[in-house]
Amino acid sequence: VGGIDAYAPLQVEDAAAQSGIETQDTADEGGGRNAGWINGGDWLRFDDVNFGATPPASVNLRVASESSAAGRVEIRVDSPDAEPSATLTTSHTGGWQNWRTETTGMAPVTGLHTVYVTFGNDRPDDFVNVNWLVFRR
């Protein structure tokens, strides 16, 4: 079937498309780039993500935030307007490069899909940095 393995880390710098986001060198383990300057309405798109025949139970997101304003990182399948399959409420981690892995439950999905990572918040502030996400069975 091919595609990108949903159960290996999806690095934000490998997104097929994005809106409203800039990348920067990350201080996180493993190096590379992270997505920053993320605000409500921004999004990342990953094409041809292969979930296989067994659906994920959760998704891990590598996040950092110096913001006191909580926001939402939402996983949507096939459309940026789809009902979220997973929603992570973000919180202050102690700094824009103070990384931690957060986990949230995921609605079942199988097969090959386009995955949108959308961002929402209630204040017009940057609220989270993201380095990668990985789905877990």
Side-chain angles (χ1 to χ4, degrees), residues 12 18-21 35 38-45 61 63 71-76 80 88 90 116-121 127-130 133:
V12 296
Q18 57 86 20
S19 177
I21 291 164
I38 297 172
N39 205 321
D42 295 350
W43 54 265
L44 295 159
R45 189 186 86 219
L61 293 116
V63 295
R72 295 169 307 283
V73 181
E74 296 154 331
I75 306 298
R76 300 172 192 260
L88 174 72
T90 64
Y116 289 86
V117 182
T118 62
F119 301 93
N121 63 342
F127 70 95
V128 69
N129 286 354
V130 179
L133 61 142

PDB file of all heavy atoms in Angstrom, residues 12 18-21 35 38-45 61 63 71-76 80 88 90 116-121 127-130 133:
ATOM      1  N   VAL A  12       7.554  17.466  11.915  1.00  0.00           N
ATOM      2  CA  VAL A  12       6.829  18.615  11.352  1.00  0.00           C
ATOM      3  C   VAL A  12       7.515  19.185  10.113  1.00  0.00           C
ATOM      4  O   VAL A  12       6.838  19.660   9.206  1.00  0.00           O
ATOM      5  CB  VAL A  12       6.578  19.728  12.393  1.00  0.00           C
ATOM      6  CG1 VAL A  12       5.673  19.236  13.513  1.00  0.00           C
ATOM      7  CG2 VAL A  12       7.870  20.287  12.937  1.00  0.00           C
ATOM      8  N   GLN A  18       1.731  23.500   4.925  1.00  0.00           N
ATOM      9  CA  GLN A  18       1.426  24.105   6.224  1.00  0.00           C
ATOM     10  C   GLN A  18       0.917  25.514   5.993  1.00  0.00           C
ATOM     11  O   GLN A  18       1.106  26.088   4.920  1.00  0.00           O
ATOM     12  CB  GLN A  18       2.653  24.095   7.126  1.00  0.00           C
ATOM     13  CG  GLN A  18       3.887  24.797   6.577  1.00  0.00           C
ATOM     14  CD  GLN A  18       3.949  26.282   6.844  1.00  0.00           C
ATOM     15  OE1 GLN A  18       3.272  26.790   7.741  1.00  0.00           O
ATOM     16  NE2 GLN A  18       4.724  27.004   6.070  1.00  0.00           N
ATOM     17  N   SER A  19       0.264  26.063   7.011  1.00  0.00           N
ATOM     18  CA  SER A  19      -0.199  27.444   6.951  1.00  0.00           C
ATOM     19  C   SER A  19       0.005  28.110   8.300  1.00  0.00           C
ATOM     20  O   SER A  19      -0.369  27.550   9.335  1.00  0.00           O
ATOM     21  CB  SER A  19      -1.687  27.477   6.585  1.00  0.00           C
ATOM     22  OG  SER A  19      -2.163  28.816   6.595  1.00  0.00           O
ATOM     23  N   GLY A  20       0.627  29.281   8.285  1.00  0.00           N
ATOM     24  CA  GLY A  20       0.769  30.103   9.482  1.00  0.00           C
ATOM     25  C   GLY A  20       1.908  29.718  10.400  1.00  0.00           C
ATOM     26  O   GLY A  20       2.066  30.300  11.455  1.00  0.00           O
ATOM     27  N   ILE A  21       2.696  28.718  10.014  1.00  0.00           N
ATOM     28  CA  ILE A  21       3.712  28.154  10.891  1.00  0.00           C
ATOM     29  C   ILE A  21       5.089  28.438  10.315  1.00  0.00           C
ATOM     30  O   ILE A  21       5.279  28.426   9.107  1.00  0.00           O
ATOM     31  CB  ILE A  21       3.487  26.635  11.016  1.00  0.00           C
ATOM     32  CG1 ILE A  21       2.201  26.379  11.797  1.00  0.00           C
ATOM     33  CG2 ILE A  21       4.672  25.939  11.670  1.00  0.00           C
ATOM     34  CD1 ILE A  21       1.687  24.978  11.668  1.00  0.00           C
ATOM     35  N   ALA A  35       8.157  23.125  14.612  1.00  0.00           N
ATOM     36  CA  ALA A  35       7.201  24.147  14.186  1.00  0.00           C
ATOM     37  C   ALA A  35       6.983  25.104  15.354  1.00  0.00           C
ATOM     38  O   ALA A  35       6.818  24.666  16.494  1.00  0.00           O
ATOM     39  CB  ALA A  35       5.875  23.504  13.782  1.00  0.00           C
ATOM     40  N   ILE A  38       2.974  29.194  16.417  1.00  0.00           N
ATOM     41  CA  ILE A  38       1.694  28.559  16.103  1.00  0.00           C
ATOM     42  C   ILE A  38       0.573  29.268  16.827  1.00  0.00           C
ATOM     43  O   ILE A  38       0.636  29.503  18.028  1.00  0.00           O
ATOM     44  CB  ILE A  38       1.727  27.063  16.492  1.00  0.00           C
ATOM     45  CG1 ILE A  38       2.792  26.329  15.666  1.00  0.00           C
ATOM     46  CG2 ILE A  38       0.345  26.430  16.324  1.00  0.00           C
ATOM     47  CD1 ILE A  38       3.034  24.895  16.109  1.00  0.00           C
ATOM     48  N   ASN A  39      -0.472  29.578  16.065  1.00  0.00           N
ATOM     49  CA  ASN A  39      -1.631  30.288  16.594  1.00  0.00           C
ATOM     50  C   ASN A  39      -2.890  29.610  16.079  1.00  0.00           C
ATOM     51  O   ASN A  39      -2.832  28.746  15.205  1.00  0.00           O
ATOM     52  CB  ASN A  39      -1.566  31.746  16.122  1.00  0.00           C
ATOM     53  CG  ASN A  39      -2.311  32.682  17.059  1.00  0.00           C
ATOM     54  OD1 ASN A  39      -3.368  32.351  17.562  1.00  0.00           O
ATOM     55  ND2 ASN A  39      -1.758  33.842  17.276  1.00  0.00           N
ATOM     56  N   GLY A  40      -4.025  30.016  16.597  1.00  0.00           N
ATOM     57  CA  GLY A  40      -5.296  29.454  16.159  1.00  0.00           C
ATOM     58  C   GLY A  40      -5.490  29.614  14.661  1.00  0.00           C
ATOM     59  O   GLY A  40      -5.185  30.664  14.096  1.00  0.00           O
ATOM     60  N   GLY A  41      -5.970  28.558  14.000  1.00  0.00           N
ATOM     61  CA  GLY A  41      -6.202  28.593  12.565  1.00  0.00           C
ATOM     62  C   GLY A  41      -5.042  28.065  11.743  1.00  0.00           C
ATOM     63  O   GLY A  41      -5.188  27.807  10.548  1.00  0.00           O
ATOM     64  N   ASP A  42      -3.871  27.904  12.364  1.00  0.00           N
ATOM     65  CA  ASP A  42      -2.713  27.349  11.658  1.00  0.00           C
ATOM     66  C   ASP A  42      -2.907  25.846  11.473  1.00  0.00           C
ATOM     67  O   ASP A  42      -3.687  25.212  12.186  1.00  0.00           O
ATOM     68  CB  ASP A  42      -1.421  27.598  12.448  1.00  0.00           C
ATOM     69  CG  ASP A  42      -1.078  29.083  12.560  1.00  0.00           C
ATOM     70  OD1 ASP A  42      -1.717  29.911  11.879  1.00  0.00           O
ATOM     71  OD2 ASP A  42      -0.161  29.404  13.342  1.00  0.00           O
ATOM     72  N   TRP A  43      -2.182  25.267  10.516  1.00  0.00           N
ATOM     73  CA  TRP A  43      -2.294  23.819  10.290  1.00  0.00           C
ATOM     74  C   TRP A  43      -1.072  23.259   9.581  1.00  0.00           C
ATOM     75  O   TRP A  43      -0.316  23.996   8.952  1.00  0.00           O
ATOM     76  CB  TRP A  43      -3.561  23.471   9.506  1.00  0.00           C
ATOM     77  CG  TRP A  43      -3.734  24.205   8.202  1.00  0.00           C
ATOM     78  CD1 TRP A  43      -4.448  25.355   8.016  1.00  0.00           C
ATOM     79  CD2 TRP A  43      -3.185  23.866   6.919  1.00  0.00           C
ATOM     80  NE1 TRP A  43      -4.370  25.744   6.697  1.00  0.00           N
ATOM     81  CE2 TRP A  43      -3.614  24.849   5.995  1.00  0.00           C
ATOM     82  CE3 TRP A  43      -2.390  22.820   6.456  1.00  0.00           C
ATOM     83  CZ2 TRP A  43      -3.247  24.815   4.654  1.00  0.00           C
ATOM     84  CZ3 TRP A  43      -2.029  22.792   5.113  1.00  0.00           C
ATOM     85  CH2 TRP A  43      -2.469  23.786   4.228  1.00  0.00           C
ATOM     86  N   LEU A  44      -0.915  21.935   9.722  1.00  0.00           N
ATOM     87  CA  LEU A  44       0.086  21.138   9.011  1.00  0.00           C
ATOM     88  C   LEU A  44      -0.662  20.030   8.280  1.00  0.00           C
ATOM     89  O   LEU A  44      -1.693  19.552   8.770  1.00  0.00           O
ATOM     90  CB  LEU A  44       1.047  20.463   9.995  1.00  0.00           C
ATOM     91  CG  LEU A  44       1.949  21.345  10.842  1.00  0.00           C
ATOM     92  CD1 LEU A  44       2.421  20.586  12.072  1.00  0.00           C
ATOM     93  CD2 LEU A  44       3.144  21.804  10.025  1.00  0.00           C
ATOM     94  N   ARG A  45      -0.150  19.606   7.119  1.00  0.00           N
ATOM     95  CA  ARG A  45      -0.785  18.512   6.361  1.00  0.00           C
ATOM     96  C   ARG A  45       0.255  17.447   6.039  1.00  0.00           C
ATOM     97  O   ARG A  45       1.329  17.759   5.523  1.00  0.00           O
ATOM     98  CB  ARG A  45      -1.407  19.036   5.075  1.00  0.00           C
ATOM     99  CG  ARG A  45      -2.259  17.969   4.358  1.00  0.00           C
ATOM    100  CD  ARG A  45      -2.743  18.466   2.999  1.00  0.00           C
ATOM    101  NE  ARG A  45      -1.684  18.190   2.012  1.00  0.00           N
ATOM    102  CZ  ARG A  45      -1.350  19.017   1.016  1.00  0.00           C
ATOM    103  NH1 ARG A  45      -1.941  20.183   0.859  1.00  0.00           N
ATOM    104  NH2 ARG A  45      -0.394  18.674   0.164  1.00  0.00           N
ATOM    105  N   LEU A  61       2.303  13.521  21.002  1.00  0.00           N
ATOM    106  CA  LEU A  61       2.768  14.770  20.390  1.00  0.00           C
ATOM    107  C   LEU A  61       3.898  15.329  21.237  1.00  0.00           C
ATOM    108  O   LEU A  61       3.801  15.380  22.468  1.00  0.00           O
ATOM    109  CB  LEU A  61       1.627  15.791  20.320  1.00  0.00           C
ATOM    110  CG  LEU A  61       0.511  15.399  19.367  1.00  0.00           C
ATOM    111  CD1 LEU A  61      -0.778  15.194  20.131  1.00  0.00           C
ATOM    112  CD2 LEU A  61       0.331  16.448  18.311  1.00  0.00           C
ATOM    113  N   VAL A  63       5.672  18.449  22.373  1.00  0.00           N
ATOM    114  CA  VAL A  63       5.287  19.855  22.442  1.00  0.00           C
ATOM    115  C   VAL A  63       6.127  20.627  23.465  1.00  0.00           C
ATOM    116  O   VAL A  63       6.678  20.048  24.396  1.00  0.00           O
ATOM    117  CB  VAL A  63       3.780  20.008  22.797  1.00  0.00           C
ATOM    118  CG1 VAL A  63       2.903  19.445  21.685  1.00  0.00           C
ATOM    119  CG2 VAL A  63       3.446  19.338  24.120  1.00  0.00           C
ATOM    120  N   GLY A  71      -4.236  25.955  24.588  1.00  0.00           N
ATOM    121  CA  GLY A  71      -4.764  25.849  23.235  1.00  0.00           C
ATOM    122  C   GLY A  71      -5.037  24.395  22.930  1.00  0.00           C
ATOM    123  O   GLY A  71      -4.901  23.524  23.799  1.00  0.00           O
ATOM    124  N   ARG A  72      -5.408  24.126  21.670  1.00  0.00           N
ATOM    125  CA  ARG A  72      -5.746  22.771  21.260  1.00  0.00           C
ATOM    126  C   ARG A  72      -4.957  22.387  20.017  1.00  0.00           C
ATOM    127  O   ARG A  72      -4.864  23.161  19.074  1.00  0.00           O
ATOM    128  CB  ARG A  72      -7.243  22.668  20.948  1.00  0.00           C
ATOM    129  CG  ARG A  72      -8.126  22.903  22.170  1.00  0.00           C
ATOM    130  CD  ARG A  72      -9.592  23.073  21.807  1.00  0.00           C
ATOM    131  NE  ARG A  72      -9.847  24.097  20.789  1.00  0.00           N
ATOM    132  CZ  ARG A  72      -9.844  25.426  21.014  1.00  0.00           C
ATOM    133  NH1 ARG A  72      -9.584  25.903  22.219  1.00  0.00           N
ATOM    134  NH2 ARG A  72     -10.104  26.270  20.029  1.00  0.00           N
ATOM    135  N   VAL A  73      -4.405  21.174  20.063  1.00  0.00           N
ATOM    136  CA  VAL A  73      -3.801  20.562  18.887  1.00  0.00           C
ATOM    137  C   VAL A  73      -4.770  19.451  18.488  1.00  0.00           C
ATOM    138  O   VAL A  73      -5.054  18.563  19.289  1.00  0.00           O
ATOM    139  CB  VAL A  73      -2.404  19.975  19.187  1.00  0.00           C
ATOM    140  CG1 VAL A  73      -1.806  19.375  17.916  1.00  0.00           C
ATOM    141  CG2 VAL A  73      -1.484  21.041  19.767  1.00  0.00           C
ATOM    142  N   GLU A  74      -5.296  19.545  17.268  1.00  0.00           N
ATOM    143  CA  GLU A  74      -6.323  18.598  16.827  1.00  0.00           C
ATOM    144  C   GLU A  74      -5.826  17.802  15.629  1.00  0.00           C
ATOM    145  O   GLU A  74      -5.201  18.359  14.730  1.00  0.00           O
ATOM    146  CB  GLU A  74      -7.605  19.356  16.460  1.00  0.00           C
ATOM    147  CG  GLU A  74      -8.207  20.050  17.667  1.00  0.00           C
ATOM    148  CD  GLU A  74      -9.049  21.272  17.327  1.00  0.00           C
ATOM    149  OE1 GLU A  74      -8.773  21.938  16.303  1.00  0.00           O
ATOM    150  OE2 GLU A  74      -9.970  21.554  18.091  1.00  0.00           O
ATOM    151  N   ILE A  75      -6.098  16.503  15.642  1.00  0.00           N
ATOM    152  CA  ILE A  75      -5.772  15.625  14.526  1.00  0.00           C
ATOM    153  C   ILE A  75      -7.067  15.417  13.741  1.00  0.00           C
ATOM    154  O   ILE A  75      -8.072  14.979  14.308  1.00  0.00           O
ATOM    155  CB  ILE A  75      -5.243  14.254  15.014  1.00  0.00           C
ATOM    156  CG1 ILE A  75      -4.064  14.429  15.990  1.00  0.00           C
ATOM    157  CG2 ILE A  75      -4.881  13.367  13.821  1.00  0.00           C
ATOM    158  CD1 ILE A  75      -2.843  15.102  15.416  1.00  0.00           C
ATOM    159  N   ARG A  76      -7.045  15.748  12.465  1.00  0.00           N
ATOM    160  CA  ARG A  76      -8.228  15.592  11.610  1.00  0.00           C
ATOM    161  C   ARG A  76      -7.842  14.743  10.405  1.00  0.00           C
ATOM    162  O   ARG A  76      -6.752  14.878   9.878  1.00  0.00           O
ATOM    163  CB  ARG A  76      -8.759  16.952  11.169  1.00  0.00           C
ATOM    164  CG  ARG A  76      -9.176  17.832  12.359  1.00  0.00           C
ATOM    165  CD  ARG A  76      -9.507  19.246  11.903  1.00  0.00           C
ATOM    166  NE  ARG A  76      -9.638  20.168  13.007  1.00  0.00           N
ATOM    167  CZ  ARG A  76     -10.808  20.555  13.514  1.00  0.00           C
ATOM    168  NH1 ARG A  76     -11.941  20.100  13.023  1.00  0.00           N
ATOM    169  NH2 ARG A  76     -10.842  21.416  14.516  1.00  0.00           N
ATOM    170  N   PRO A  80      -9.311  19.466   6.646  1.00  0.00           N
ATOM    171  CA  PRO A  80      -9.015  20.336   7.788  1.00  0.00           C
ATOM    172  C   PRO A  80     -10.278  20.738   8.543  1.00  0.00           C
ATOM    173  O   PRO A  80     -10.201  21.251   9.652  1.00  0.00           O
ATOM    174  CB  PRO A  80      -8.322  21.546   7.158  1.00  0.00           C
ATOM    175  CG  PRO A  80      -8.780  21.550   5.738  1.00  0.00           C
ATOM    176  CD  PRO A  80      -9.025  20.113   5.365  1.00  0.00           C
ATOM    177  N   LEU A  88      -5.638  17.396  21.784  1.00  0.00           N
ATOM    178  CA  LEU A  88      -4.749  17.567  22.929  1.00  0.00           C
ATOM    179  C   LEU A  88      -4.855  19.019  23.391  1.00  0.00           C
ATOM    180  O   LEU A  88      -4.653  19.931  22.596  1.00  0.00           O
ATOM    181  CB  LEU A  88      -3.305  17.268  22.532  1.00  0.00           C
ATOM    182  CG  LEU A  88      -2.268  17.559  23.628  1.00  0.00           C
ATOM    183  CD1 LEU A  88      -2.354  16.533  24.746  1.00  0.00           C
ATOM    184  CD2 LEU A  88      -0.869  17.611  23.050  1.00  0.00           C
ATOM    185  N   THR A  90      -3.168  21.905  25.243  1.00  0.00           N
ATOM    186  CA  THR A  90      -1.775  22.210  25.581  1.00  0.00           C
ATOM    187  C   THR A  90      -1.690  22.959  26.904  1.00  0.00           C
ATOM    188  O   THR A  90      -2.657  23.566  27.358  1.00  0.00           O
ATOM    189  CB  THR A  90      -1.120  23.062  24.484  1.00  0.00           C
ATOM    190  OG1 THR A  90      -1.790  24.319  24.406  1.00  0.00           O
ATOM    191  CG2 THR A  90      -1.172  22.354  23.140  1.00  0.00           C
ATOM    192  N   TYR A 116      -4.422  16.050   8.871  1.00  0.00           N
ATOM    193  CA  TYR A 116      -4.250  17.473   9.177  1.00  0.00           C
ATOM    194  C   TYR A 116      -4.040  17.630  10.679  1.00  0.00           C
ATOM    195  O   TYR A 116      -4.777  17.031  11.469  1.00  0.00           O
ATOM    196  CB  TYR A 116      -5.479  18.279   8.761  1.00  0.00           C
ATOM    197  CG  TYR A 116      -5.645  18.408   7.271  1.00  0.00           C
ATOM    198  CD1 TYR A 116      -6.307  17.431   6.539  1.00  0.00           C
ATOM    199  CD2 TYR A 116      -5.129  19.504   6.594  1.00  0.00           C
ATOM    200  CE1 TYR A 116      -6.458  17.536   5.168  1.00  0.00           C
ATOM    201  CE2 TYR A 116      -5.269  19.621   5.219  1.00  0.00           C
ATOM    202  CZ  TYR A 116      -5.937  18.629   4.515  1.00  0.00           C
ATOM    203  OH  TYR A 116      -6.074  18.747   3.158  1.00  0.00           O
ATOM    204  N   VAL A 117      -3.040  18.413  11.051  1.00  0.00           N
ATOM    205  CA  VAL A 117      -2.841  18.811  12.438  1.00  0.00           C
ATOM    206  C   VAL A 117      -3.263  20.270  12.483  1.00  0.00           C
ATOM    207  O   VAL A 117      -2.627  21.128  11.861  1.00  0.00           O
ATOM    208  CB  VAL A 117      -1.373  18.638  12.873  1.00  0.00           C
ATOM    209  CG1 VAL A 117      -1.213  19.019  14.344  1.00  0.00           C
ATOM    210  CG2 VAL A 117      -0.896  17.210  12.618  1.00  0.00           C
ATOM    211  N   THR A 118      -4.383  20.540  13.168  1.00  0.00           N
ATOM    212  CA  THR A 118      -4.913  21.903  13.225  1.00  0.00           C
ATOM    213  C   THR A 118      -4.743  22.448  14.635  1.00  0.00           C
ATOM    214  O   THR A 118      -4.639  21.686  15.601  1.00  0.00           O
ATOM    215  CB  THR A 118      -6.386  21.954  12.786  1.00  0.00           C
ATOM    216  OG1 THR A 118      -7.171  21.154  13.678  1.00  0.00           O
ATOM    217  CG2 THR A 118      -6.561  21.441  11.358  1.00  0.00           C
ATOM    218  N   PHE A 119      -4.719  23.759  14.733  1.00  0.00           N
ATOM    219  CA  PHE A 119      -4.443  24.416  16.008  1.00  0.00           C
ATOM    220  C   PHE A 119      -5.534  25.423  16.322  1.00  0.00           C
ATOM    221  O   PHE A 119      -5.942  26.186  15.448  1.00  0.00           O
ATOM    222  CB  PHE A 119      -3.080  25.112  15.941  1.00  0.00           C
ATOM    223  CG  PHE A 119      -1.950  24.174  15.650  1.00  0.00           C
ATOM    224  CD1 PHE A 119      -1.526  23.956  14.352  1.00  0.00           C
ATOM    225  CD2 PHE A 119      -1.335  23.468  16.674  1.00  0.00           C
ATOM    226  CE1 PHE A 119      -0.501  23.070  14.065  1.00  0.00           C
ATOM    227  CE2 PHE A 119      -0.308  22.572  16.402  1.00  0.00           C
ATOM    228  CZ  PHE A 119       0.108  22.372  15.095  1.00  0.00           C
ATOM    229  N   GLY A 120      -5.996  25.405  17.575  1.00  0.00           N
ATOM    230  CA  GLY A 120      -7.026  26.353  17.998  1.00  0.00           C
ATOM    231  C   GLY A 120      -6.701  26.905  19.369  1.00  0.00           C
ATOM    232  O   GLY A 120      -6.169  26.199  20.224  1.00  0.00           O
ATOM    233  N   ASN A 121      -7.014  28.178  19.562  1.00  0.00           N
ATOM    234  CA  ASN A 121      -6.886  28.769  20.898  1.00  0.00           C
ATOM    235  C   ASN A 121      -7.853  29.928  21.021  1.00  0.00           C
ATOM    236  O   ASN A 121      -8.437  30.375  20.031  1.00  0.00           O
ATOM    237  CB  ASN A 121      -5.443  29.194  21.203  1.00  0.00           C
ATOM    238  CG  ASN A 121      -4.925  30.286  20.291  1.00  0.00           C
ATOM    239  OD1 ASN A 121      -5.463  30.536  19.214  1.00  0.00           O
ATOM    240  ND2 ASN A 121      -3.860  30.931  20.701  1.00  0.00           N
ATOM    241  N   PHE A 127       0.928  29.795  20.998  1.00  0.00           N
ATOM    242  CA  PHE A 127       0.700  29.028  22.225  1.00  0.00           C
ATOM    243  C   PHE A 127       1.427  27.700  22.322  1.00  0.00           C
ATOM    244  O   PHE A 127       1.462  27.102  23.393  1.00  0.00           O
ATOM    245  CB  PHE A 127      -0.800  28.816  22.451  1.00  0.00           C
ATOM    246  CG  PHE A 127      -1.449  27.876  21.461  1.00  0.00           C
ATOM    247  CD1 PHE A 127      -1.612  26.529  21.759  1.00  0.00           C
ATOM    248  CD2 PHE A 127      -1.911  28.341  20.244  1.00  0.00           C
ATOM    249  CE1 PHE A 127      -2.211  25.669  20.856  1.00  0.00           C
ATOM    250  CE2 PHE A 127      -2.515  27.487  19.340  1.00  0.00           C
ATOM    251  CZ  PHE A 127      -2.667  26.143  19.648  1.00  0.00           C
ATOM    252  N   VAL A 128       2.037  27.221  21.233  1.00  0.00           N
ATOM    253  CA  VAL A 128       2.705  25.923  21.337  1.00  0.00           C
ATOM    254  C   VAL A 128       3.735  25.780  20.221  1.00  0.00           C
ATOM    255  O   VAL A 128       3.597  26.379  19.154  1.00  0.00           O
ATOM    256  CB  VAL A 128       1.677  24.755  21.280  1.00  0.00           C
ATOM    257  CG1 VAL A 128       1.055  24.614  19.898  1.00  0.00           C
ATOM    258  CG2 VAL A 128       2.290  23.436  21.748  1.00  0.00           C
ATOM    259  N   ASN A 129       4.792  25.010  20.496  1.00  0.00           N
ATOM    260  CA  ASN A 129       5.722  24.526  19.477  1.00  0.00           C
ATOM    261  C   ASN A 129       5.520  23.024  19.379  1.00  0.00           C
ATOM    262  O   ASN A 129       5.229  22.372  20.385  1.00  0.00           O
ATOM    263  CB  ASN A 129       7.181  24.806  19.867  1.00  0.00           C
ATOM    264  CG  ASN A 129       7.561  26.267  19.726  1.00  0.00           C
ATOM    265  OD1 ASN A 129       6.789  27.083  19.239  1.00  0.00           O
ATOM    266  ND2 ASN A 129       8.763  26.601  20.173  1.00  0.00           N
ATOM    267  N   VAL A 130       5.663  22.473  18.187  1.00  0.00           N
ATOM    268  CA  VAL A 130       5.508  21.029  17.987  1.00  0.00           C
ATOM    269  C   VAL A 130       6.723  20.523  17.214  1.00  0.00           C
ATOM    270  O   VAL A 130       7.136  21.135  16.226  1.00  0.00           O
ATOM    271  CB  VAL A 130       4.212  20.704  17.198  1.00  0.00           C
ATOM    272  CG1 VAL A 130       4.082  19.196  16.972  1.00  0.00           C
ATOM    273  CG2 VAL A 130       2.980  21.249  17.907  1.00  0.00           C
ATOM    274  N   LEU A 133       4.859  14.043  15.857  1.00  0.00           N
ATOM    275  CA  LEU A 133       3.743  13.271  16.384  1.00  0.00           C
ATOM    276  C   LEU A 133       3.893  11.846  15.901  1.00  0.00           C
ATOM    277  O   LEU A 133       4.515  11.582  14.875  1.00  0.00           O
ATOM    278  CB  LEU A 133       2.391  13.847  15.954  1.00  0.00           C
ATOM    279  CG  LEU A 133       2.099  13.898  14.468  1.00  0.00           C
ATOM    280  CD1 LEU A 133       0.636  13.560  14.208  1.00  0.00           C
ATOM    281  CD2 LEU A 133       2.366  15.320  13.954  1.00  0.00           C
TER     282      LEU A 133
END
